[in-house]
Amino acid sequence: MNKERKLIVAGNWKMNKTVAEAVALVETLDRDLGAQTDVDVVVCPPFTALDAVSVKLKNSLIKVGAQNMSEFDYGAFTGEINAGMLRDLLVHYVILGHSERRECQQESDTLVSAKTKAAHAAGLKPIVCVGETLTQRESNETETVIGRQVEGSLAGLDAEQMKDTVIAYEPVWAIGTGKTATTEQAQQVHAFIRGKIGEIHGNEVAQAVRIQYGGSVKPANAQELLSQPDVDGALVGGASLEDRSFSDIINSTRN
Ligand code: PEP
């Protein structure tokens, strides 16, 4: 697939996989995908498996990401994990502001922006998620909601940090539901997000930023979605839990 920006496909494993299962999965993925350089591949296991997965992928092109982190550097924050601790485990990426955290943990754009800045300060690349609910889409509020999330969650980044931030557009109604945005719906929102980044940081930065699509991405729909001009990869939930489906998604973009 001939793309303007290098594709990035990340697997969000959510609260799945024991350490042994996680290691077994990345062993197979590394065998299947470890030598390819066309697509940046990231796996995001739960915190408990980060260390073992990082060790297993130490010499691999597949990078490791976390699913969340604290906005604080250190201190009395029981149960939290900071960016430095993730770097210590050779983690390269961190998913921030996933809709499940926005909904279940009431994470706000202000909090996501604080985490995004803390990630950059520690040398981690954030994958910042935005997305509208079905009610918001049906009330024609998609651009208002996405515009507010992009402005709020990415507030305070300088141009270099913005270029090094991955945005994941994940319509909430498409996550884990088997419903996927049409290629037109995805392209339209991705172009809108890029335009918004352009308004804030200028066109050169906007053209450099990678915007993933997420929401029931599978081998059967990946190629069509990722062939859209402003779709620069995928954030994959369910289909990243199994070697074959995750590899097939990546391989489908390489034909
Ligand atoms: C996600 O949770 O980021 C996601 C996109 O999940 P799924 O692929 O299962 O819809």
Side-chain angles (χ1 to χ4, degrees), residues 6-237:
K6 189 175 185 188
L7 289 171
I8 174 164
V9 176
N12 174 15
W13 295 1
K14 310 194 185 187
M15 198 171 70
N16 293 292
K17 306 284 179 196
T18 62
V19 174
E21 289 166 348
V23 169
L25 177 52
V26 294
E27 240 166 21
T28 323
L29 283 175
D30 193 34
R31 202 174 55 230
D32 292 354
L33 297 168
Q36 70 81 33
T37 53
D38 301 351
V39 181
D40 285 337
V41 179
V42 183
V43 290
C44 304
F47 285 131
T48 46
L50 280 176
D51 189 25
V53 165
S54 274
V55 169
K56 196 41 83 188
L57 293 178
K58 202 163 153 225
N59 299 314
S60 171
L61 291 173
I62 301 175
K63 299 291 178 218
V64 182
Q67 299 174 20
N68 178 41
M69 54 167 251
S70 169
E71 70 275 33
F72 298 112
D73 288 344
Y74 61 90
F77 300 103
T78 302
E80 293 290 327
I81 285 179
N82 69 31
M85 293 168 177
L86 297 177
R87 289 297 292 145
D88 199 28
L89 297 183
L90 307 178
V91 168
H92 283 81
Y93 290 86
V94 60
I95 299 171
L96 297 174
H98 191 280
S99 63
E100 286 154 14
R101 294 202 63 83
R102 289 181 186 264
E103 194 185 323
C104 305
Q105 272 77 29
Q106 278 78 48
E107 291 202 358
S108 64
D109 290 328
T110 310
L111 178 62
V112 176
S113 136
K115 291 185 178 197
T116 304
K117 283 188 273 189
H120 279 298
L124 276 174
K125 292 181 199 296
I127 299 175
V128 177
C129 304
V130 297
E132 82 287 1
T133 63
L134 188 57
T135 316
Q136 289 164 337
R137 173 163 281 271
E138 286 176 346
S139 341
N140 286 325
E141 289 172 28
T142 300
E143 292 194 351
T144 311
V145 171
I146 301 294
R148 189 172 59 226
Q149 290 178 338
V150 167
E151 279 175 14
S153 303
L154 303 171
L157 298 186
D158 65 29
E160 286 314 306
Q161 290 170 332
M162 187 66 246
K163 283 186 194 172
D164 236 5
T165 300
V166 178
I167 300 173
Y169 167 56
E170 299 205 302
V172 178
W173 48 271
I175 296 180
T177 58
K179 288 188 194 139
T180 317
T182 63
T183 49
E184 292 76 21
Q185 286 171 326
Q187 168 56 26
Q188 195 178 13
V189 179
H190 281 234
F192 172 77
I193 293 171
R194 199 175 304 288
K196 201 82 202 150
I197 303 295
E199 281 171 25
I200 303 167
H201 290 281
N203 191 45
E204 194 237 331
V205 174
Q207 291 308 319
V209 171
R210 294 188 290 181
I211 307 173
Q212 295 174 314
Y213 170 79
S216 299
V217 175
K218 308 183 250 314
N221 59 24
Q223 190 178 34
E224 203 187 342
L225 283 161
L226 273 64
S227 65
Q228 298 302 301
D230 286 294
V231 179
D232 309 311
L235 182 54
V236 185

